[in-house]
């Protein structure tokens, strides 16, 4: 949106593209940005902020908006007027929703829709298949999207309300892990684009499945790197070792290294920030191939919860004592080996621990 000079609609706009747009949006183009803002009862400035926050470019005063755009503006503005959201928070809602759904839409077009619109008969074009396919898929995908969003919202709400106090609802203690493919830059020079894309997709899919299955949360993927978080140190450690083990058993995958740190984390728009995140990233960069490095705080938490012994000597003594008393020996999931202290850029001197599966 822009309050500047009026820009005419693109006369070369593909008629099929306009029909698809109308099908997906459920309405035809009727309003210029100024008309939409006036109809919604909001200022042009606020309407433009919402529009840009959702990730859309300025369109001058072309008649390109629909009744759905007016309704969306009215809803966001209504939440502000009712005092349920501040104006800044309403813009943040628009931005977070726009960024998340933009990636989803791009994926669906690039991978999902493209594969399904192969012409079924000779002589048919891809565009001839697209319209009826979208017409059939749209309501089902929309229902599924709302279902998944509600599920995710319920899970996130449950985690937040279980926080110990109000402060922890924003700045929480989490285990944060980075998993990084070793030598990815070299691979990009040797592999064909399609082959490289398949490798990245396989890595991201495997990582996402493992993180979810074992109780973690995938924060984001960056091609050759995955960032995840978990409320529990043991969960984060288990995910890291599973990632290493799974990738090591796949001959098509390069080596992997993982770094985990435990501490206070600030969460914003589904992402995580702070010293703990930075430390996890640094640990990943110095981790050996096919290995997991953790910080002292995570090692201490695993020891405190009885999931790892403080040392192998302590574990041997506990087993010996249990044998004398005729009681079961302590059972540990993980083993921790202290590594040499080393300076880490921006974080001072740290003492990493090598995490392994016990036994």
């Amino acid at each position: 949106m822009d309050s500047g000079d009026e820009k005419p609609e693109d006369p070369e706009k593909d008629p099929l593209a306009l029909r698809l747009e109308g099908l997906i949006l459920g309405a035809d183009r009727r309003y210029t940005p100024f008309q939409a803002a006036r109809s919604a009862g909001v200022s042009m400035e606020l309407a433009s902020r919402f529009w840009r926050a959702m990730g859309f470019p300025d369109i001058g005063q072309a008649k390109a908006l629909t009744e759905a755009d007016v309704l969306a503006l009215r809803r966001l503005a209504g939440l502000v007027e009712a005092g349920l959201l501040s104006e800044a928070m309403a813009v943040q809602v628009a931005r977070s929703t726009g960024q998340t759904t933009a990636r989803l839409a791009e994926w669906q077009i690039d991978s999902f829709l493209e594969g399904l619109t192969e012409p079924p008969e000779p002589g048919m074009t891809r565009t001839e298949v697209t319209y009826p396919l979208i017409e059939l898929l749209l309501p089902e995908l929309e229902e599924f999207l709302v279902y998944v969003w509600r599920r995710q919202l319920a899970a996130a709400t449950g985690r937040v309300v279980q926080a110990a106090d109000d402060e922890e609802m924003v700045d929480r203690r989490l285990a944060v892990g980075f998993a990084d493919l070793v030598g990815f830059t070299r691979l990009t020079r040797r592999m064909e684009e399609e082959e490289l894309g398949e490798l990245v997709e396989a890595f991201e899919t495997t990582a996402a499945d493992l993180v979810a299955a074992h109780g973690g949360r995938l924060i984001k993927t960056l091609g050759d790197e995955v960032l995840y978080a978990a409320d529990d140190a043991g969960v984060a450690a288990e995910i890291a070792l599973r990632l290493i083990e799974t990738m090591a058993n796949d001959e098509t995958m390069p080596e992997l290294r993982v770094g985990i740190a435990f501490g206070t984390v600030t969460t914003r728009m589904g992402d995580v920030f702070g010293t703990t995140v930075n430390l996890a990233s640094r640990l990943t960069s110095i981790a050996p191939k096919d290995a997991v490095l953790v910080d002292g705080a995570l090692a201490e938490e695993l020891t405190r919860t009885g999931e790892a012994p403080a040392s192998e000597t302590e574990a041997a003594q506990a087993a010996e004592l249990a044998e004398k008393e005729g009681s079961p020996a302590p059972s540990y999931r993980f083993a921790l080996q202290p590594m040499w202290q080393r300076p880490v850029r921006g974080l001072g001197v740290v003492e990493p621990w090598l995490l392994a599966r016990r036994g």
Side-chain angles (χ1 to χ4, degrees), residues 22-302:
L23 172 64
I24 294 170
L25 296 179
D28 296 325
R29 299 180 174 198
R30 289 184 54 191
Y31 302 97
T32 67
F34 178 78
Q35 291 169 338
R38 185 173 59 182
S39 182
V42 303
S43 67
M44 258 308 294
E45 180 186 0
L46 183 59
S48 295
R49 289 183 67 196
F50 284 151
W51 184 255
R52 291 167 183 157
M54 286 187 287
F56 300 119
D58 293 341
I59 57 174
Q61 285 303 317
K63 187 173 286 188
L65 304 183
T66 72
E67 197 66 48
D69 296 304
V70 172
L71 182 57
L73 282 175
R74 195 175 292 148
R75 280 177 171 158
L76 276 176
L79 292 173
V80 175
E81 289 173 11
L84 295 172
L85 295 177
S86 67
E87 187 174 304
M89 189 172 290
V91 172
Q92 193 176 59
V93 167
R95 179 170 289 111
S96 61
T97 307
Q99 289 178 357
T100 304
T101 52
R103 185 177 181 188
L104 174 62
E106 289 289 345
W107 178 87
Q108 287 176 331
I109 294 300
D110 290 345
S111 303
F112 179 56
L113 188 59
E114 186 176 315
L116 290 177
T117 53
E118 286 293 338
E121 297 178 11
M124 289 190 71
T125 65
R126 186 184 294 276
T127 53
E128 288 175 324
V129 181
T130 301
Y131 190 94
L133 179 66
I134 290 180
E135 194 171 26
L136 290 170
L137 283 176
L138 189 62
E140 301 301 324
L141 291 177
E142 182 178 14
E143 289 290 332
F144 186 69
L145 176 62
V146 172
Y147 155 74
V148 175
W149 170 71
R150 284 182 176 272
R151 266 288 173 192
Q152 293 286 5
L153 189 63
T157 304
R159 288 192 297 269
V160 170
V161 298
Q162 289 177 40
D165 51 47
D166 287 346
E167 201 171 301
E168 277 197 36
M169 293 178 77
V170 178
D171 297 317
R172 303 162 58 195
R173 283 179 63 78
L174 295 175
V176 178
F178 276 94
D180 177 54
L181 291 174
V182 179
F184 185 76
T185 304
R186 290 194 302 274
L187 283 175
T188 61
R189 291 194 284 263
R190 295 204 318 260
M191 300 176 73
E192 296 291 336
E193 287 187 8
E194 185 175 347
E195 188 180 6
L196 189 65
E198 290 174 355
L199 183 144
V200 168
E201 185 175 356
F203 168 58
E204 291 183 349
T205 300
T206 301
D209 287 348
L210 284 172
V211 169
H214 294 282
R217 297 187 299 285
L218 187 70
I219 304 298
K220 59 186 174 185
T221 59
L222 303 169
D224 62 331
E225 193 172 59
V226 165
L227 171 61
Y228 70 93
D231 298 310
D232 182 84
V235 168
E238 180 66 28
I239 289 169
L241 292 174
R242 293 269 182 173
L243 284 168
I244 294 290
E245 292 159 359
T246 302
M247 297 299 172
N249 289 328
D250 188 341
E251 295 180 356
T252 66
M253 284 289 172
E255 293 96 344
L256 189 71
R257 54 190 175 191
V258 183
I260 317 175
F262 184 77
T264 302
V265 173
T266 298
T267 59
R268 289 287 186 278
M269 291 177 64
D271 208 343
V272 290
F273 307 92
T275 303
T276 303
V277 181
N278 296 338
L279 179 54
S281 178
R282 300 289 189 273
L283 289 170
T284 306
S285 66
I286 63 175
K289 295 177 181 178
D290 286 336
V292 181
L293 282 188
V294 305
D295 72 333
L298 191 123
E300 183 180 337
E301 184 69 8
L302 291 178

Side-chain angles (χ1 to χ4, degrees), residues 309-354:
S311 67
E312 289 303 310
T313 301
E314 180 184 289
Q317 290 173 345
E320 186 179 335
L321 180 61
E323 186 177 354
K324 286 180 181 178
E325 295 177 349
S327 58
S331 176
Y332 300 107
R333 294 169 64 192
F334 309 112
L336 291 164
Q337 178 186 339
M339 307 292 283
W340 292 106
Q341 289 187 351
R342 65 189 74 190
V344 174
R345 182 167 52 88
L347 297 170
V349 177
V350 299
E351 183 183 6
W353 294 71
L354 186 66

